[in-house]
Amino acid sequence: MYKLVDISQMPMKYLVRSFIILILLWKSTLSIAQEQTPDSLLINYKDAITDSAQLESLRQILNYWKYFPSDSTIYYSKALIKKSVETDQLSKAYKGYYWLTNTMTNLGYSDSTIYFAFQGLNLFKSDTTYLYPQSILLLIIGEEYRAIEKFEEALKYLNQAWELSQKSSRPESQVGIANRIAACYHESREHDLALYWADSSLKLGAVYNNSSYVLKSLDIKASVLRDQGKLEEALKLFKTAFENADNEIMKIGTLNNIASTYIKLEDFQKVVEFAQTSFEMS
């Protein structure tokens, strides 16, 4: 049985992370969401007669509200979970838990994220068919602990996620899990392990064509090299990450990392150049 662990306060950087996630979701999906009408989706749900039709309607409703983390997202995520369990269609319950926990994180309710992730784990753990949902829920728990700098707890659940991902039918999840383990070791200043897991994520990202996590892993590896004083190597990787970044948030973060590396090199003309570029993009 998985235990619920109580979490108290959330540092400011965690709130900033949640805000950035909300902005990215809004910018990338607003145009899609505006094409749908929540009232018409709700009418479809109320008119649905069969269990399958109700589940599909709940999925469509949630597909709208997931773009706007709110009480509505929470309500329909729970409704999807409840209906899926009642009709013994657990594969659909996973989607409810995924968006419920992500919504709790985005709204800043870390303890609720942990609670519902454990609830989902207890639902899925008895069936080896659901190794992938278990691995993702463990990843979510580990990421919550990492965000509040409880690194030992974070690694405990991230390593469990890694083990399950190797047995699941969707091994591509290993890319993100390896990246989050690398981030955990980087933030806890365990440089060798951070480099090992960043390299693992980079290799897996190339295999599964996951450019997003490849860039994140490049950023982690470059940050570790900078911390180790290998500044020219770090700059090369940061610049590669910047050239391949596909959104402004990532570009700005990488520019700031480049500027901070030039500070260590005492090349203040370059510091000003990259800091100015970052400011203009903000």
Side-chain angles (χ1 to χ4, degrees):
M1 177 73 69
Y2 293 99
K3 287 186 175 180
L4 172 63
V5 181
D6 215 4
I7 292 180
S8 52
Q9 284 187 316
M10 204 167 27
M12 180 57 68
K13 73 169 189 175
Y14 183 79
L15 294 171
V16 172
R17 184 190 72 154
S18 296
F19 176 74
I20 290 173
I21 291 171
L22 283 168
I23 292 297
L24 286 173
L25 278 172
W26 175 76
K27 288 182 71 176
S28 64
T29 61
L30 182 59
S31 60
I32 297 173
Q34 284 177 333
E35 295 174 1
Q36 304 178 23
T37 307
D39 290 341
S40 64
L41 292 172
L42 189 56
I43 290 171
N44 290 340
Y45 171 60
K46 290 179 178 178
D47 289 343
I49 298 174
T50 66
D51 291 334
S52 296
Q54 289 178 358
L55 281 168
E56 177 58 21
S57 292
L58 282 170
R59 188 195 66 78
Q60 290 178 3
I61 292 170
L62 182 57
N63 200 48
Y64 173 87
W65 283 111
K66 71 185 182 185
Y67 300 136
F68 311 98
S70 64
D71 289 343
S72 293
T73 322
I74 294 170
Y75 176 84
Y76 289 113
S77 295
K78 288 181 177 179
L80 180 58
I81 293 166
K82 184 173 183 292
K83 189 67 179 177
S84 300
V85 172
E86 288 175 350
T87 58
D88 198 27
Q89 299 188 54
L90 297 189
S91 60
K92 293 181 171 59
Y94 163 66
K95 190 62 71 176
Y97 276 112
Y98 180 82
W99 285 110
L100 179 58
T101 52
N102 272 271
T103 298
M104 292 300 183
T105 294
N106 292 336
L107 294 177
Y109 302 142
S110 182
D111 55 342
S112 294
T113 299
I114 296 288
Y115 175 85
F116 287 113
F118 276 122
Q119 187 182 87
L121 283 171
N122 286 325
L123 178 66
F124 296 123
K125 70 186 176 99
S126 61
D127 192 334
T128 55
T129 306
Y130 302 112
L131 293 180
Y132 174 74
Q134 288 182 67
S135 69
I136 298 302
L137 290 168
L138 285 164
L139 170 61
I140 288 168
I141 293 169
E143 185 65 356
E144 290 301 306
Y145 280 118
R146 185 198 65 79
I148 59 171
E149 300 182 355
K150 289 181 179 274
F151 299 120
E152 187 175 346
E153 286 295 299
L155 286 167
K156 172 184 173 181
Y157 293 107
L158 289 172
N159 283 323
Q160 288 181 32
W162 174 256
E163 290 174 11
L164 286 183
S165 71
Q166 293 181 298
K167 304 171 187 175
S168 81
S169 59
R170 297 181 62 180
E172 67 272 14
S173 63
Q174 294 175 34
V175 184
I177 295 169
N179 175 271
R180 295 298 81 201
I181 294 174
C184 208
Y185 280 125
H186 171 228
E187 291 170 22
S188 58
R189 313 293 293 177
E190 297 187 59
H191 293 150
D192 290 342
L193 285 168
L195 287 174
Y196 171 83
W197 283 101
D199 282 335
S200 296
S201 182
L202 285 168
K203 291 173 184 175
L204 288 164
V207 170
Y208 294 110
N209 196 29
N210 191 322
S211 58
S212 175
Y213 273 117
V214 164
L215 293 175
K216 291 176 182 178
S217 296
L218 275 176
D219 188 76
I220 291 172
K221 184 173 183 177
S223 296
V224 173
L225 292 172
R226 180 186 59 197
D227 293 345
Q228 291 180 321
K230 300 174 182 178
L231 303 180
E232 294 297 341
E233 290 181 60
L235 272 177
K236 183 178 179 180
L237 290 181
F238 278 135
K239 289 179 179 179
T240 299
F242 175 77
E243 289 167 1
N244 291 278
D246 58 1
N247 65 72
E248 287 187 3
I249 297 294
M250 186 171 286
K251 284 181 180 290
I252 291 168
T254 306
L255 285 169
N256 291 336
N257 280 327
I258 293 172
S260 68
T261 307
Y262 276 119
I263 289 175
K264 290 180 178 288
L265 286 167
E266 298 185 0
D267 187 339
F268 298 110
Q269 183 175 346
K270 288 288 187 181
V271 173
V272 172
E273 177 186 336
F274 283 95
Q276 180 66 28
T277 304
S278 173
F279 176 77
E280 290 171 355
M281 291 184 67
S282 299

mmCIF file of all heavy atoms in Angstrom, residues 13 146 149-152 154-155 181-191 193-194 224 227:
data_model
loop_
_atom_site.group_PDB
_atom_site.id
_atom_site.type_symbol
_atom_site.label_atom_id
_atom_site.label_comp_id
_atom_site.label_asym_id
_atom_site.label_seq_id
_atom_site.Cartn_x
_atom_site.Cartn_y
_atom_site.Cartn_z
ATOM 1 N N LYS A 13 10.049 29.471 -5.887
ATOM 2 C CA LYS A 13 10.408 28.976 -7.227
ATOM 3 C C LYS A 13 9.373 27.978 -7.729
ATOM 4 O O LYS A 13 9.160 27.830 -8.934
ATOM 5 C CB LYS A 13 11.803 28.353 -7.236
ATOM 6 C CG LYS A 13 11.923 26.996 -6.562
ATOM 7 C CD LYS A 13 13.278 26.384 -6.885
ATOM 8 C CE LYS A 13 13.316 24.939 -6.403
ATOM 9 N NZ LYS A 13 14.557 24.274 -6.799
ATOM 10 N N ARG A 146 10.800 16.954 -5.749
ATOM 11 C CA ARG A 146 11.960 17.685 -6.268
ATOM 12 C C ARG A 146 11.741 19.188 -6.220
ATOM 13 O O ARG A 146 12.633 19.953 -5.861
ATOM 14 C CB ARG A 146 12.250 17.258 -7.713
ATOM 15 C CG ARG A 146 13.520 17.886 -8.304
ATOM 16 C CD ARG A 146 13.537 17.805 -9.817
ATOM 17 N NE ARG A 146 12.463 18.589 -10.399
ATOM 18 C CZ ARG A 146 12.499 19.913 -10.555
ATOM 19 N NH1 ARG A 146 13.547 20.620 -10.150
ATOM 20 N NH2 ARG A 146 11.481 20.541 -11.110
ATOM 21 N N GLU A 149 12.437 20.590 -2.985
ATOM 22 C CA GLU A 149 13.798 20.272 -2.568
ATOM 23 C C GLU A 149 13.883 19.155 -1.534
ATOM 24 O O GLU A 149 14.800 19.112 -0.722
ATOM 25 C CB GLU A 149 14.515 21.536 -2.078
ATOM 26 C CG GLU A 149 14.613 22.602 -3.161
ATOM 27 C CD GLU A 149 15.348 23.842 -2.723
ATOM 28 O OE1 GLU A 149 15.713 23.933 -1.524
ATOM 29 O OE2 GLU A 149 15.578 24.726 -3.565
ATOM 30 N N LYS A 150 12.947 18.219 -1.598
ATOM 31 C CA LYS A 150 13.041 16.994 -0.791
ATOM 32 C C LYS A 150 13.617 15.915 -1.711
ATOM 33 O O LYS A 150 12.901 15.025 -2.195
ATOM 34 C CB LYS A 150 11.655 16.612 -0.253
ATOM 35 C CG LYS A 150 11.144 17.547 0.825
ATOM 36 C CD LYS A 150 9.786 17.092 1.330
ATOM 37 C CE LYS A 150 9.280 18.012 2.426
ATOM 38 N NZ LYS A 150 9.773 17.638 3.747
ATOM 39 N N PHE A 151 14.924 16.012 -1.946
ATOM 40 C CA PHE A 151 15.552 15.234 -3.004
ATOM 41 C C PHE A 151 15.587 13.733 -2.714
ATOM 42 O O PHE A 151 15.466 12.921 -3.632
ATOM 43 C CB PHE A 151 16.961 15.760 -3.276
ATOM 44 C CG PHE A 151 16.990 17.188 -3.723
ATOM 45 C CD1 PHE A 151 17.673 18.155 -3.002
ATOM 46 C CD2 PHE A 151 16.303 17.583 -4.871
ATOM 47 C CE1 PHE A 151 17.688 19.482 -3.410
ATOM 48 C CE2 PHE A 151 16.312 18.897 -5.294
ATOM 49 C CZ PHE A 151 17.004 19.856 -4.550
ATOM 50 N N GLU A 152 15.773 13.353 -1.460
ATOM 51 C CA GLU A 152 15.805 11.930 -1.132
ATOM 52 C C GLU A 152 14.460 11.271 -1.445
ATOM 53 O O GLU A 152 14.411 10.189 -2.040
ATOM 54 C CB GLU A 152 16.157 11.739 0.347
ATOM 55 C CG GLU A 152 16.366 10.289 0.736
ATOM 56 C CD GLU A 152 16.824 10.122 2.173
ATOM 57 O OE1 GLU A 152 17.242 11.115 2.803
ATOM 58 O OE2 GLU A 152 16.752 8.982 2.681
ATOM 59 N N ALA A 154 12.216 12.497 -3.503
ATOM 60 C CA ALA A 154 12.020 12.615 -4.949
ATOM 61 C C ALA A 154 12.669 11.444 -5.678
ATOM 62 O O ALA A 154 12.054 10.792 -6.534
ATOM 63 C CB ALA A 154 12.584 13.930 -5.453
ATOM 64 N N LEU A 155 13.919 11.158 -5.337
ATOM 65 C CA LEU A 155 14.648 10.084 -6.015
ATOM 66 C C LEU A 155 14.045 8.716 -5.721
ATOM 67 O O LEU A 155 14.069 7.824 -6.573
ATOM 68 C CB LEU A 155 16.121 10.119 -5.599
ATOM 69 C CG LEU A 155 16.921 11.271 -6.227
ATOM 70 C CD1 LEU A 155 18.266 11.428 -5.539
ATOM 71 C CD2 LEU A 155 17.116 11.017 -7.724
ATOM 72 N N ILE A 181 15.316 12.667 -13.080
ATOM 73 C CA ILE A 181 16.329 12.151 -12.157
ATOM 74 C C ILE A 181 17.598 12.994 -12.281
ATOM 75 O O ILE A 181 18.218 13.358 -11.273
ATOM 76 C CB ILE A 181 16.619 10.665 -12.443
ATOM 77 C CG1 ILE A 181 15.385 9.817 -12.123
ATOM 78 C CG2 ILE A 181 17.812 10.182 -11.613
ATOM 79 C CD1 ILE A 181 15.528 8.350 -12.505
ATOM 80 N N ALA A 182 17.970 13.331 -13.511
ATOM 81 C CA ALA A 182 19.143 14.189 -13.737
ATOM 82 C C ALA A 182 18.959 15.542 -13.064
ATOM 83 O O ALA A 182 19.883 16.064 -12.426
ATOM 84 C CB ALA A 182 19.375 14.370 -15.238
ATOM 85 N N ALA A 183 17.761 16.118 -13.199
ATOM 86 C CA ALA A 183 17.480 17.416 -12.569
ATOM 87 C C ALA A 183 17.616 17.332 -11.053
ATOM 88 O O ALA A 183 18.143 18.251 -10.401
ATOM 89 C CB ALA A 183 16.071 17.881 -12.949
ATOM 90 N N CYS A 184 17.151 16.232 -10.498
ATOM 91 C CA CYS A 184 17.213 16.031 -9.049
ATOM 92 C C CYS A 184 18.663 15.974 -8.571
ATOM 93 O O CYS A 184 19.039 16.620 -7.591
ATOM 94 C CB CYS A 184 16.477 14.742 -8.696
ATOM 95 S SG CYS A 184 15.773 14.720 -7.056
ATOM 96 N N TYR A 185 19.484 15.210 -9.275
ATOM 97 C CA TYR A 185 20.897 15.105 -8.893
ATOM 98 C C TYR A 185 21.627 16.427 -9.123
ATOM 99 O O TYR A 185 22.519 16.795 -8.348
ATOM 100 C CB TYR A 185 21.572 13.981 -9.676
ATOM 101 C CG TYR A 185 21.308 12.605 -9.107
ATOM 102 C CD1 TYR A 185 20.770 11.589 -9.906
ATOM 103 C CD2 TYR A 185 21.600 12.310 -7.776
ATOM 104 C CE1 TYR A 185 20.529 10.323 -9.384
ATOM 105 C CE2 TYR A 185 21.360 11.051 -7.247
ATOM 106 C CZ TYR A 185 20.822 10.065 -8.049
ATOM 107 O OH TYR A 185 20.582 8.818 -7.529
ATOM 108 N N HIS A 186 21.250 17.144 -10.179
ATOM 109 C CA HIS A 186 21.876 18.443 -10.428
ATOM 110 C C HIS A 186 21.582 19.415 -9.297
ATOM 111 O O HIS A 186 22.489 20.082 -8.773
ATOM 112 C CB HIS A 186 21.362 19.022 -11.754
ATOM 113 C CG HIS A 186 21.783 20.438 -11.983
ATOM 114 N ND1 HIS A 186 20.884 21.415 -12.370
ATOM 115 C CD2 HIS A 186 22.984 21.060 -11.865
ATOM 116 C CE1 HIS A 186 21.531 22.569 -12.476
ATOM 117 N NE2 HIS A 186 22.793 22.379 -12.186
ATOM 118 N N GLU A 187 20.327 19.480 -8.890
ATOM 119 C CA GLU A 187 19.938 20.430 -7.849
ATOM 120 C C GLU A 187 20.470 20.033 -6.475
ATOM 121 O O GLU A 187 20.620 20.889 -5.598
ATOM 122 C CB GLU A 187 18.422 20.562 -7.825
ATOM 123 C CG GLU A 187 17.895 21.268 -9.072
ATOM 124 C CD GLU A 187 16.382 21.194 -9.205
ATOM 125 O OE1 GLU A 187 15.698 20.986 -8.187
ATOM 126 O OE2 GLU A 187 15.895 21.329 -10.342
ATOM 127 N N SER A 188 20.762 18.741 -6.281
ATOM 128 C CA SER A 188 21.347 18.307 -5.009
ATOM 129 C C SER A 188 22.871 18.243 -5.089
ATOM 130 O O SER A 188 23.532 17.714 -4.200
ATOM 131 C CB SER A 188 20.782 16.947 -4.597
ATOM 132 O OG SER A 188 21.032 15.966 -5.584
ATOM 133 N N ARG A 189 23.428 18.786 -6.179
ATOM 134 C CA ARG A 189 24.860 18.972 -6.370
ATOM 135 C C ARG A 189 25.636 17.660 -6.493
ATOM 136 O O ARG A 189 26.823 17.587 -6.164
ATOM 137 C CB ARG A 189 25.465 19.802 -5.223
ATOM 138 C CG ARG A 189 24.703 21.067 -4.861
ATOM 139 C CD ARG A 189 24.748 22.098 -5.949
ATOM 140 N NE ARG A 189 26.087 22.632 -6.140
ATOM 141 C CZ ARG A 189 26.409 23.513 -7.083
ATOM 142 N NH1 ARG A 189 25.490 23.942 -7.936
ATOM 143 N NH2 ARG A 189 27.639 23.951 -7.184
ATOM 144 N N GLU A 190 24.994 16.615 -6.983
ATOM 145 C CA GLU A 190 25.687 15.350 -7.234
ATOM 146 C C GLU A 190 25.993 15.289 -8.734
ATOM 147 O O GLU A 190 25.269 14.689 -9.526
ATOM 148 C CB GLU A 190 24.826 14.175 -6.770
ATOM 149 C CG GLU A 190 24.571 14.189 -5.268
ATOM 150 C CD GLU A 190 23.867 12.948 -4.779
ATOM 151 O OE1 GLU A 190 24.419 11.839 -4.974
ATOM 152 O OE2 GLU A 190 22.770 13.067 -4.211
ATOM 153 N N HIS A 191 27.094 15.915 -9.102
ATOM 154 C CA HIS A 191 27.385 16.211 -10.495
ATOM 155 C C HIS A 191 27.564 14.974 -11.371
ATOM 156 O O HIS A 191 27.046 14.930 -12.497
ATOM 157 C CB HIS A 191 28.636 17.089 -10.585
ATOM 158 C CG HIS A 191 28.439 18.453 -10.013
ATOM 159 N ND1 HIS A 191 29.455 19.186 -9.437
ATOM 160 C CD2 HIS A 191 27.330 19.215 -9.900
ATOM 161 C CE1 HIS A 191 28.989 20.344 -9.009
ATOM 162 N NE2 HIS A 191 27.703 20.381 -9.284
ATOM 163 N N LEU A 193 26.407 11.923 -11.069
ATOM 164 C CA LEU A 193 25.138 11.242 -11.307
ATOM 165 C C LEU A 193 24.225 12.081 -12.202
ATOM 166 O O LEU A 193 23.488 11.539 -13.030
ATOM 167 C CB LEU A 193 24.446 10.937 -9.972
ATOM 168 C CG LEU A 193 25.065 9.783 -9.181
ATOM 169 C CD1 LEU A 193 24.513 9.741 -7.758
ATOM 170 C CD2 LEU A 193 24.819 8.457 -9.893
ATOM 171 N N ALA A 194 24.285 13.392 -12.037
ATOM 172 C CA ALA A 194 23.483 14.279 -12.891
ATOM 173 C C ALA A 194 23.903 14.124 -14.347
ATOM 174 O O ALA A 194 23.056 14.042 -15.256
ATOM 175 C CB ALA A 194 23.629 15.722 -12.444
ATOM 176 N N VAL A 224 25.584 21.568 -15.277
ATOM 177 C CA VAL A 224 26.517 20.802 -14.454
ATOM 178 C C VAL A 224 27.959 21.115 -14.855
ATOM 179 O O VAL A 224 28.821 21.345 -13.998
ATOM 180 C CB VAL A 224 26.248 19.286 -14.576
ATOM 181 C CG1 VAL A 224 27.338 18.487 -13.861
ATOM 182 C CG2 VAL A 224 24.882 18.949 -14.003
ATOM 183 N N ASP A 227 28.954 24.389 -13.501
ATOM 184 C CA ASP A 227 29.233 24.302 -12.061
ATOM 185 C C ASP A 227 30.578 23.649 -11.793
ATOM 186 O O ASP A 227 31.226 23.938 -10.773
ATOM 187 C CB ASP A 227 28.129 23.500 -11.352
ATOM 188 C CG ASP A 227 26.792 24.220 -11.382
ATOM 189 O OD1 ASP A 227 26.773 25.434 -11.682
ATOM 190 O OD2 ASP A 227 25.759 23.573 -11.104
#
